[in-house]
Amino acid sequence: MPQLPPLPLKVALLNTPEIELWPAGLLRARGNAQARLIARARRVLRRKRDGAWLAAQLEDGLHPLRPGLHREPGMAAARRALDAHQPHLRNGIEHTGVLPLHRLAQRLQLLGLDADGYAMRTGLSLTHEPDWLALADFDRWRRPLWLRIDAALAWRHMREAALADGIVLEAISGYRSHAYQLGIFARKLARGLTVEEILAVNAAPGFSEHHSGLALDIGAIDEPPAEESFERTPAFGWLRDNAGGYGFSMSYPRDNPHGIVYEPWHWRFDAGATPAA
């Protein structure tokens, strides 16, 4: 039976409201000076709102990768996360904490949205980000796919079962922060779309299932990502018939009550499920 190469699920992304703490070995340096630091680093601090690299953690402490590190919002929380024991080594898969809904009301106000009104209109719930995520896979573009540890294990089992049936499931995207979701809206607004047009395709920041680390977008080889045509692929047929056994379900079928377009590529793991091994 074909097998997927093993992945170190204990490789973790530590998460804070403003800053992500990435394992340095997963990053490619953007210049010689950075390369020397990152080659010796344990982790790299990455600003969530724009992806900027802030500092490298070495044996002797933090080394700035850009000026003004002491003035960077969120540094106190990032330092506390670095000083703490990694949660998956402390309490195993049982421990996944969540972050506070940091500055979410202000972010929604920028879009002219009221959280309570949006929740009532769509039936979507505010979604906290986990305080750490596991390396579940690499996506189509060889970017790390971060998921909550239970969803990561279920994804691996499901992908292996599909492969045994001759079906290749490709990860397109997994965890996304509130700040990243806000960036999606900013880019689409800059292209001339209205907030209402964007909301038909993307949940408002704070309401996307991707924030939870339990949802991922799935694709098929030689198929464009996140397109309705995915439903005509053998990969979708396999998911339709088998994903439930691994704890996954499609979140946005046709005529769903949330006002989100049909998304045959978007699947969410039920955190209470006992997936097939």
Side-chain angles (χ1 to χ4, degrees):
M1 182 176 71
Q3 295 285 325
L4 292 171
L7 273 174
L9 285 170
K10 288 187 177 181
V11 174
L13 172 73
L14 304 184
N15 202 10
T16 71
E18 301 274 8
I19 296 170
E20 295 170 346
L21 288 67
W22 280 63
L26 295 178
L27 297 172
R28 293 183 179 179
R30 301 167 184 172
N32 289 336
Q34 287 189 348
R36 287 192 293 272
L37 276 176
I38 292 172
R40 298 158 46 215
R42 295 174 177 175
R43 292 191 177 272
V44 172
L45 279 61
R46 179 180 180 271
R47 188 193 290 147
K48 292 168 82 166
R49 64 179 170 85
D50 61 4
W53 296 3
L54 301 174
Q57 181 200 24
L58 275 65
E59 291 282 351
D60 59 350
L62 287 180
H63 291 244
L65 295 173
R66 61 191 306 116
L69 186 65
H70 65 286
R71 297 190 300 273
E72 186 69 33
M75 277 302 302
R79 288 180 183 275
R80 286 194 297 271
L82 285 173
D83 292 339
H85 295 296
Q86 293 191 10
H88 58 287
L89 297 180
R90 186 172 69 241
N91 289 324
I93 67 172
E94 297 298 323
H95 176 80
T96 304
V98 295
L99 301 181
L101 296 169
H102 184 66
R103 295 196 297 112
L104 186 59
Q106 298 96 308
R107 288 168 167 169
L108 291 172
Q109 286 172 4
L110 292 174
L111 301 173
L113 293 173
D114 169 70
D116 292 338
Y118 179 77
M120 185 175 297
R121 174 161 60 92
T122 62
L124 297 173
S125 300
L126 282 170
T127 302
H128 292 259
E129 299 176 30
D131 61 0
W132 71 277
L133 298 111
L135 178 64
D137 204 342
F138 290 93
D139 68 16
R140 174 179 290 189
W141 300 277
R142 300 303 299 164
R143 301 173 303 189
L145 178 78
W146 300 110
L147 293 173
R148 231 177 68 165
I149 184 66
D150 46 358
L153 290 167
W155 164 246
R156 292 288 294 176
H157 291 152
M158 184 170 73
R159 197 173 168 215
E160 286 169 355
L163 189 61
D165 290 340
I167 300 294
V168 177
L169 301 177
E170 276 196 323
I172 301 299
S173 67
Y175 160 75
R176 294 202 296 256
S177 69
H178 297 164
Y180 187 95
Q181 195 79 357
L182 187 64
I184 292 175
F185 276 71
R187 289 189 292 273
K188 291 188 175 184
L189 288 168
R191 297 205 305 265
L193 276 70
T194 67
V195 169
E196 287 303 316
E197 288 172 332
I198 302 169
L199 288 173
V201 181
N202 299 107
F207 290 86
S208 171
E209 290 185 341
H210 285 285
H211 301 326
S212 68
L214 296 172
L216 75 161
D217 295 338
I218 301 173
I221 293 175
D222 299 326
E223 180 70 21
E227 295 286 346
E228 190 173 316
S229 57
F230 177 62
E231 72 170 355
R232 297 191 292 274
T233 66
F236 175 79
W238 191 95
L239 286 168
R240 181 191 58 217
D241 296 338
N242 297 281
Y246 297 89
F248 286 92
S249 60
M250 186 168 54
S251 298
Y252 305 117
R254 283 192 173 87
D255 302 318
N256 66 78
H258 307 299
I260 302 291
V261 297
Y262 173 47
E263 294 190 353
W265 60 86
H266 180 101
W267 295 75
R268 185 183 191 276
F269 177 69
D270 177 0
T274 303

